[in-house]
Amino acid sequence: MTDGNTVYDIVILGGGSGGYACALRAVDLGKSVLLVEKDKAGGTCLHYGCIPTKALLHAGEVADLSRDGIQFGIKTTLSGIDMSGVHSYKDGIVGRLYKGLQGTLKSRGVTYLEGAGKLVSPTAVEVDGQRYEGRHVVLATGSQPKWFPGFEPDGERILTSEHALKLDRVPASVVILGAGAIGVEFASIWRSFGADVTIVEALPNLVPLEDKDSSKLLERAFRKRKIAFHTGTKASKVEKTDSGVKVSLENGKEVEAEIMLVAVGRGPVSADLGYEQQGVQLDRGFVKVDEYCQTAVETISAVGDLIATPQFAHVGFQEGILVAERLAGLQVMPIDYAGIPRITYSDPEVASVGYTSEQATEKYGEIKEVSYNLAANGKSLILQTQGAVKVIAAKDGPVVGVHMVGARVGELLAEAQLIYNWEAFPAEVAQFIHGHPSQSEAIGEAHLALAGKPLHFHN
């Protein structure tokens, strides 16, 4: 039970990835914590983002395998997609994780309060008219889907990702604005379910924040999957028609579809929560913090999608832990955001850590890089996937970037993360021969080639 007279060590506003990670680490360090959440513990990631979208992507993978079983000598057919059954599968996973998280928060001693909170002083939040004091306040109110004027979602023909997760049918056709992770993941889902998909991206490439070679590999794969895309052009307007929507592009083309998904990113949830009134500085809605997630107000920190750092749940985890440890008096190090793993779970997956070729050249000057084609990897051939593992090293220096495209390559990123963050040299990684046959061999082969002793190398 919460008590309005209790002064907590930390009051956390927002129970998503950043907020609950901060709460769990803080109670482990002996702090009393009040965690306030207006919706459900777990936030966007658990309920409206990472987990449900990945469940849909796996359902799409099952659909593709059913449709294409004959290439493996298995006589399967796909008779249809039962979206109610797909949602039941998805919601079952979310439900189990939510129940587990609730139990974890309770068993670890986090005081949890469901309600809409607002910052009312540098050391207090108000929830449903009740004031709660803390020696420190952590803001973790997350993000929400963005859209442009003229492209406002209506939940029927123009959707956000949250609407799309609840769609009760497979649309015949979809146009998607935005080719970041959300856009290409939903493109992958709907194409696997049988929809015609067209992506519109203002920047020159799909997944534009990734290395250009990764973007090109994904574009090649999407062409093969018959996912259409228009890059380097913006949508100028959308009109509702009898059958759906008609989207006009700045390049003069028009795209008609049953529905439109607006996937142009997520913006911070910071308006009307009392932040600026208490001295918290905002920039385009994002809370401004230093490298330790500390705001301009000594008693207030902020983490997760609310601050202008990469919008991944695992970034929120790391920031929440950093703040908890800092407030407990432990020595903490600023986060190297380049060392955070990045995965887009489309088919094929795109995974990376460290710097792109362009970024590495700018930072280190001369670089060496090797791209190992998965066509030479036995396990990738068994999985019938195409792509590559690209490794970038500073000249006579450590590995500074790893970029991968292919089925399941996200699972390879743990090793790549260690290589980058431990500043390993190619020759050090090349000492370790990877299990055969495995996709991890592609990482080993790339490092062998960079170290000057290639084995089965095909560039």
Side-chain angles (χ1 to χ4, degrees):
M1 295 292 291
T2 55
D3 180 354
N5 296 319
T6 300
V7 177
Y8 296 90
D9 290 322
I10 306 173
V11 174
I12 303 171
L13 195 55
S17 302
Y20 85 70
C22 184
L24 291 173
R25 183 65 181 127
V27 294
D28 282 351
L29 293 168
K31 299 293 183 181
S32 59
V33 176
L34 173 64
L35 181 63
V36 179
E37 168 55 46
K38 68 178 180 181
D39 187 7
K40 296 176 181 175
T44 294
C45 173
L46 177 53
H47 300 284
Y48 315 109
C50 325
I51 299 299
T53 54
K54 278 48 176 185
L56 291 182
L57 282 156
H58 183 63
E61 182 182 357
V62 173
D64 286 330
L65 287 171
S66 301
R67 189 184 290 115
D68 302 329
I70 196 63
Q71 69 174 306
F72 305 101
I74 311 297
K75 296 180 180 179
T76 56
T77 56
L78 179 64
S79 59
I81 307 292
D82 172 15
M83 281 309 298
S84 65
V86 171
H87 287 311
S88 178
Y89 154 70
K90 165 181 66 72
D91 295 343
I93 292 167
V94 172
R96 284 183 64 181
L97 291 171
Y98 178 43
K99 186 176 180 180
L101 177 58
Q102 288 175 302
T104 298
L105 291 169
K106 185 176 181 180
S107 67
R108 299 271 280 277
V110 175
T111 303
Y112 181 77
L113 177 61
E114 191 169 298
K118 183 175 181 178
L119 188 67
V120 291
S121 94
T123 57
V125 301
E126 187 177 283
V127 185
D128 299 328
Q130 177 71 56
R131 186 183 177 101
Y132 298 91
E133 291 281 345
R135 294 177 180 86
H136 201 92
V137 176
V138 178
L139 307 177
T141 44
S143 63
Q144 59 192 358
K146 290 196 302 188
W147 55 82
F148 300 128
F151 296 86
E152 291 83 359
D154 60 13
E156 294 180 3
R157 296 191 190 178
I158 302 175
L159 312 182
T160 67
S161 57
E162 293 182 13
H163 298 131
L165 283 170
K166 299 174 183 174
L167 197 63
D168 61 0
R169 68 190 189 281
V170 177
S173 54
V174 188
V175 58
I176 298 174
L177 291 194
I182 295 171
V184 300
E185 286 183 1
F186 272 102
S188 201
I189 291 165
W190 278 319
R191 186 63 192 137
S192 293
F193 286 168
D196 289 329
V197 179
T198 303
I199 303 170
V200 178
E201 170 56 55
L203 293 171
N205 298 103
L206 301 184
V207 288
L209 297 182
E210 294 290 344
D211 189 271
K212 281 190 170 54
D213 286 343
S214 293
S215 294
K216 289 173 184 174
L217 286 168
L218 182 66
E219 288 164 8
R220 184 187 303 168
F222 271 20
R223 286 190 195 98
K224 191 173 180 181
R225 294 188 64 193
K226 294 183 168 52
I227 296 173
F229 51 88
H230 301 275
T231 54
T233 188
K234 295 178 181 177
S236 54
K237 69 175 180 176
V238 58
E239 303 169 70
K240 295 178 184 178
T241 66
D242 291 341
S243 58
V245 295
K246 180 168 72 173
V247 183
S248 301
L249 308 185
E250 288 185 350
N251 64 7
K253 295 182 179 178
E254 292 183 342
V255 181
E256 294 197 47
E258 183 182 327
I259 60 171
M260 167 189 275
L261 172 66
V262 180
V264 293
R266 297 180 63 87
V269 176
S270 59
D272 304 319
L273 293 175
Y275 293 172
E276 288 181 290
Q277 291 87 331
Q278 302 307 323
V280 174
Q281 296 175 2
L282 302 183
D283 178 18
R284 297 169 294 119
F286 291 102
V287 170
K288 293 175 70 173
V289 295
D290 66 12
E291 59 188 357
Y292 298 101
C293 298
Q294 171 74 57
T295 72
V297 182
E298 186 180 357
T299 54
I300 301 174
S301 297
V303 299
D305 286 3
L306 183 61
I307 64 177
T309 54
Q311 292 182 326
F312 298 113
H314 47 284
V315 168
F317 293 153
Q318 194 159 348
E319 290 168 345
I321 291 167
L322 181 150
V323 168
E325 292 182 347
R326 172 169 58 78
L327 295 179
L330 301 185
Q331 186 175 359
V332 294
M333 295 286 290
I335 297 168
D336 175 9
Y337 288 99
I340 296 285
R342 306 176 292 267
I343 312 173
T344 300
Y345 292 87
S346 49
D347 177 21
E349 292 182 356
V350 182
S352 63
V353 67
Y355 297 100
T356 66
S357 293
E358 285 184 3
Q359 293 166 340
T361 300
E362 185 177 331
K363 184 174 177 67
Y364 297 100
E366 198 171 341
I367 62 170
K368 291 173 60 181
E369 60 181 46
V370 159
S371 185
Y372 183 81
N373 195 312
L374 293 185
N377 177 261
K379 187 61 182 286
S380 296
L381 284 174
I382 291 166
L383 295 173
Q384 293 287 282
T385 188
Q386 296 177 344
V389 171
K390 176 178 174 178
V391 179
I392 306 164
K395 189 191 179 197
D396 301 322
V399 173
V400 298
V402 180
H403 304 271
M404 301 182 279
V405 177
R408 307 184 188 180
V409 294
E411 301 298 334
L412 303 182
L413 203 54
E415 181 185 7
Q417 183 183 6
L418 292 178
I419 292 167
Y420 169 84
N421 283 287
W422 286 349
E423 299 179 348
F425 281 63
E428 293 174 318
V429 181
Q431 297 178 66
F432 303 105
I433 300 301
H434 292 66
H436 177 76
S438 70
Q439 286 188 292
S440 69
E441 287 179 283
I443 291 179
E445 294 275 1
H447 284 84
L448 281 163
L450 267 183
K453 49 179 186 180
L455 192 56
H456 311 90
F457 188 73
H458 295 262
N459 199 356

